[in-house]
Amino acid sequence: MNFLGYARPDGTVGVRNQLLVLPTVVCAARVADLIAARVPGAISVPHPYGCALDPGNNEDTTRILIGTGANPNVGAVVVVSLGCETVDAERVVREIAAHGKPAELVRIQERGGTKRAAEVGAGVAARLRADLAGAGRGAAPLSKLIVGVECGASDGQSGLSANPVTGVAADLLVKAGATVVFSETTECLGAEHLLALQAETPEIGRQIVAVVRRVESELERGAGSDLNDITPGNVAGGLSTIEEKSLGCIRKAGTAPIREVIAYGERPSRTGLILMDTPGQDLESVTALVAGGAQIVVFTTGRGTPTGAAAAPVLKVCSNTPTFQRLRDDLDLDAGTVLSGQETLAEAGERLFREIVAVASGKPVAAELGGHYEFAVRRGGSACIVY
Amino acid sequence: MAGEVRLLVVDPRDNVGTTLSPAAAGDSLVLVGAVESPPAPRLVALTDLPAGHKAALAALPSGGEVRKYGAVIGLATEPIAPGELVHVHNLKSARGKGHVPGREEEA
């Protein structure tokens, strides 16, 4: 089966053709916003990171910025730097450009401040936009698709409807040759024995158990605090423990063999079902999936969330009909139908699969219509706080 | 008059089910999912149960394993009667911050 996408020089295929304005540091966020505001269709990615980070966080932030710019959905990038930050802006530009796409650098200190940098940046952005406008969609096989699956603002019904429905769609995607990446290591806690059995090899199974053990030791450091391992919204929605949340959560990955465990923001080297080692905070996880090359993220929710992602459409699947109706503008698909008996899991999963292919071919999702382009990078200690 | 609410059982090994709509104490809970039918087994809700919340399918002893999805989701902190709400007030995680030291050694 095919979708209609934008062929990129590095062999990947975008489902969108975005012009991204990417600040390397919080100090450049305002200028990035000003540049994007002057060029129709440009998307700025303001964020609070980029400087005075410890080496681990600095490298994480740098890799995530590069991965976001390199995502197949991005046609061209304007990188906005202050000029003295610890993230290496030239490296960001160089490694995005290595994917064969235009990436240009605007430095605020070099250009003489906000106003001048915004003017220069808007000129660069307008030129890149004009080049992008000539590109058209062409047929591409589903094997070119990387789909992230994520859950957030979960409730007691997420694991009974939206997640297993997404699991059916994930199985159909893998069967069609696509890659499906699930994440949130914290939400494998209590379900790792099942995931290890689902691993393609015993070695991959051991890797899964090892990353879950690491996260659990991080969580134990927070023992005695008032923070639970699940959010107040999860509890209000009927979830009682991290084990219950995890066992429902993993159902969205489907039943295919797990073929690889990859690091935060890393691109999969294989097709099929992949686990990315991320924190449980939704946006820190979604951002890493997108930086790892996911062109679409399927996001299940029970309580409802409006979130999107900087460089990829986020297709939201709701676990129950009352929430779907209440947050109708923010959500795309109602999986509450499987609880009311209107649809079987297989039918709803097939419907979601067709919707994913439609979104890949250009159908906008609710998050895009709402202007949601969130971006968040994990921080050291992410796992220890409430999620 | 008491109503009827469906209670979804995911796996035959489970000892809790999940409400598919809100139930009031006294409502009849009709078990659906991984249960033999017909006739559908029934329970009476002992407490109010919001949608997506769990009710015990059988009497659960204090300290006993609570099972959903065919796996352990935590330990009961007090005896729980059939039809009673199972949630954070009487169910505790055995993992993460709730990790019980030495648990692997006992297992």
Side-chain angles (χ1 to χ4, degrees), chain A residues 22 26 39 49 72 77 83 88 94 109 114 155 157 160 189-190 195 198 202 217 254 260 279 359 364 366 374 382:
Chain A
L22 197 60
V26 60
V39 181
Y49 317 106
V77 187
D88 180 349
R94 194 170 60 242
Q109 290 169 348
T114 298
D155 71 357
Q157 292 161 105
L160 307 176
L189 227 170
L195 293 173
Q198 201 177 330
S217 69
E260 194 173 30
V359 170
E374 280 77 2
S382 280

Side-chain angles (χ1 to χ4, degrees), chain B residues 54-97:
Chain B
K54 296 173 292 300
L57 302 179
L60 308 178
S62 179
E65 290 180 343
V66 178
R67 290 183 164 268
K68 181 177 168 181
Y69 302 107
V72 179
I73 61 166
L75 306 174
T77 57
E78 58 187 46
I80 305 173
E84 191 179 336
L85 176 68
V86 179
H87 201 14
V88 288
H89 63 291
N90 58 10
L91 166 61
K92 189 179 184 310
S93 170
R95 303 292 303 271
K97 291 191 199 65

Side-chain angles (χ1 to χ4, degrees), chain B residues 3-97:
Chain B
E4 272 191 2
V5 167
R6 288 178 306 143
L7 191 72
L8 181 62
V9 182
V10 187
D11 187 280
R13 291 165 289 184
D14 293 356
N15 54 21
V16 293
T18 308
T19 51
L20 296 182
S21 54
D27 278 353
S28 184
L29 302 172
V30 182
L31 274 56
V32 297
V35 288
E36 287 180 29
S37 61
R42 282 165 183 269
L43 272 177
V44 171
L46 291 189
T47 48
D48 288 351
L49 305 165
H53 284 57
K54 296 173 292 300
L57 302 179
L60 308 178
S62 179
E65 290 180 343
V66 178
R67 290 183 164 268
K68 181 177 168 181
Y69 302 107
V72 179
I73 61 166
L75 306 174
T77 57
E78 58 187 46
I80 305 173
E84 191 179 336
L85 176 68
V86 179
H87 201 14
V88 288
H89 63 291
N90 58 10
L91 166 61
K92 189 179 184 310
S93 170
R95 303 292 303 271
K97 291 191 199 65

Side-chain angles (χ1 to χ4, degrees), chain A residues 118-137:
Chain A
E119 270 166 23
V120 170
V124 171
R127 176 164 46 77
L128 295 175
R129 180 81 254 168
D131 291 345
L132 287 185
R137 288 181 183 267

